[in-house]
Amino acid sequence: MKKLLMAATAMALMSTSVQAEDIKLGVIFGYTGPIESLTPDMAAGAELAIEEVNASGALLGGSKVSSVRADTTCTDAAAATAATERLVTSDKINAIVGGDCSGVTTAMLQNVALPNGVVMISPSATSPALTSVEDNGLFFRTAPSDARQGQVLAEILKDRGVNSAALTYTNNDYGKGLAESIKSNFEKMGGKVTITAAHEDGKADYTAEVGALASAGGDVLIVAGYLDQGGKGIIQAALDTGAFDTFVLPDGMIGDSLPLAIGSDLDGSFGTVPGTDSPGAGKFSEMAKAAGFKAGPFASESYDAAALILLSMQAAKSSDSNVFKDKVMSVANAPGEKIYPGELAKALKIIAEGGDVDYVGASAVELIGPGESAGNYREIEVANGKNTTAKFR
């Protein structure tokens, strides 16, 4: 009788255990286009989390995870939609790390992820419009909204004694939302925005745009654009004509390629990019260096996006987006044992044993509202041809 009971118990455990499977994550960023210098490190960050989970052998009964890359171009919504559609229908991905730029991310969500029930966690789409977009609980982001970035930039401007500024923005969802946030917050603090003007990416000459900005004047020129495209062109034209010599650089303008392209004339300019001085950030930087890439802008948020997806699958005992989407917020936030980069195996074990985790990760993850980062920023100043950290906010 005892042997029969033991056998029955073993059969019951086998029937309820999670079966190992092949899990695929789409890593969908703009590998070409206006932020192409940033996306290799972002993808490497996401794939570092995948490698860590695979090495543990602890995800969903020993399931293995692979990444499938696709190009959003950052700006072409049709191309991003088509690329995402291929990954969902042909490659059968389980979830998406991405997109990157706000307009293509919205298109990916509305045209592909939402109708197909696929979770997306973006590490860099920051448009305030994404806070209220219809997503059926499928969309999250480890980067903060530009509603927050506008507040932080306005504080920095006032702290640095800037009283007036001209403002140009890339003519898309990201640029418009960010420009509105910067302008409204700066004006609330008593600052004056002399002009708000859109610019198009891909032009060879920005002399006319800079002429209009210069006519309006201002202590500085705020460039809410892209570091590998129109934003860079605006700055170069402003320097060539002597219109402005100090530039304010929001997150889309932060990366090594811009000071490298502009040179010492960019020294003294300043800006913001999501970032934190938390223990997790330091640990991730070490891990990235050991893996052969830089912990550059949005790389830590990319690692965190992939980690959150995989830990949520473990918590839900399922790789089905429509099941594990309900676990993302609980895995990301307290209560639970704090989890940092390099500790994903530990987190998977805790979850498997019925415990709770509070994923802090590389970017001090704390998801609020509909599932977006509460927001930590690194204040950047360009000095000696490099982006340096002035402080954290």
Side-chain angles (χ1 to χ4, degrees):
M1 179 62 73
K2 185 177 181 180
K3 289 182 178 179
L4 287 173
L5 287 172
M6 290 175 66
T9 300
M11 289 297 293
L13 287 172
M14 288 175 64
S15 67
T16 58
S17 64
V18 178
Q19 297 298 309
E21 60 181 299
D22 292 325
I23 295 170
K24 296 180 181 180
L25 297 191
V27 180
I28 312 179
F29 298 142
Y31 302 109
T32 60
I35 63 165
E36 61 186 15
S37 65
L38 303 182
T39 52
D41 289 341
M42 292 170 62
E47 289 165 352
L48 186 60
I50 291 172
E51 292 167 11
E52 190 179 334
V53 166
N54 282 338
S56 77
L59 174 66
L60 297 179
S63 296
K64 291 298 182 182
V65 188
S66 59
S67 69
V68 187
R69 293 190 182 189
D71 189 4
T72 69
T73 76
C74 174
T75 55
D76 187 335
T81 296
T84 308
E85 185 74 41
R86 285 194 299 273
L87 263 61
V88 170
T89 59
S90 298
D91 293 293
K92 307 296 183 183
I93 58 172
N94 298 81
I96 294 169
V97 179
D100 48 2
C101 301
S102 297
V104 294
T105 298
T106 302
M108 291 162 58
L109 172 62
Q110 293 178 332
N111 298 328
V112 185
L114 186 58
N116 287 281
V118 178
V119 162
M120 291 175 58
I121 302 186
S122 172
S124 59
T126 55
S127 170
L130 283 164
T131 298
S132 56
V133 70
E134 174 59 41
D135 66 357
N136 196 26
L138 292 164
F139 179 72
F140 306 85
R141 49 182 171 171
T142 49
S145 164
D146 283 330
R148 172 64 179 149
Q149 184 171 198
Q151 294 173 351
V152 173
L153 264 176
E155 291 168 2
I156 293 172
L157 289 167
K158 293 307 293 181
D159 288 350
R160 289 175 175 260
V162 175
N163 296 311
S164 64
L167 171 58
T168 181
Y169 62 91
T170 184
N171 192 21
N172 62 19
D173 290 355
Y174 162 69
K176 292 173 186 175
L178 178 55
E180 290 171 4
S181 180
I182 295 170
K183 183 176 186 294
S184 63
N185 281 286
F186 188 45
E187 289 177 343
K188 284 177 185 176
M189 295 182 183
K192 179 182 180 182
V193 175
T194 60
I195 184 175
T196 305
H199 64 262
E200 302 294 337
D201 288 312
K203 295 183 64 175
D205 184 8
Y206 289 93
T207 304
E209 288 86 347
V210 168
L213 295 165
S215 296
D219 299 335
V220 297
L221 174 59
I222 304 171
V223 186
Y226 295 125
L227 76 167
D228 296 323
Q229 252 300 339
K232 179 177 70 174
I234 290 282
I235 289 175
Q236 191 61 66
L239 290 168
D240 290 345
T241 59
F244 296 92
D245 56 16
T246 303
F247 305 93
V248 181
L249 311 171
D251 55 1
M253 296 295 294
I254 302 297
D256 292 342
S257 67
L258 185 65
L260 187 63
I262 301 298
S264 60
D265 286 340
L266 198 62
D267 286 0
S269 295
F270 55 92
T272 49
V273 67
T276 173
D277 57 350
S278 67
K283 176 62 176 173
F284 176 72
S285 182
E286 294 172 1
M287 290 170 58
K289 184 177 181 180
F293 69 95
K294 291 187 65 175
F298 302 110
S300 59
E301 288 82 2
S302 300
Y303 174 92
D304 290 342
L308 281 175
I309 288 172
L310 299 174
L311 295 182
S312 298
M313 288 180 178
Q314 185 84 333
K317 298 183 176 62
S318 173
S319 63
D320 183 341
S321 281
N322 284 299
V323 178
F324 78 77
K325 69 178 184 179
D326 296 330
K327 296 294 185 179
V328 175
M329 294 293 283
S330 60
V331 166
N333 297 337
E337 183 162 349
K338 294 186 182 301
I339 300 297
Y340 295 94
E343 297 183 341
L344 300 186
K346 171 184 171 183
L348 291 167
K349 184 174 184 291
I350 291 171
I351 295 169
E353 293 174 349
D356 293 325
V357 298
D358 173 11
Y359 183 77
V360 179
S363 63
V365 172
E366 181 71 18
L367 298 187
I368 60 173
E372 61 190 23
S373 172
N376 300 284
Y377 283 89
R378 184 159 63 107
E379 181 179 342
I380 298 293
E381 182 164 332
V382 185
N384 298 317
K386 293 183 178 180
N387 293 322
T388 63
T389 300
K391 65 171 68 174
F392 291 91
R393 293 176 180 256

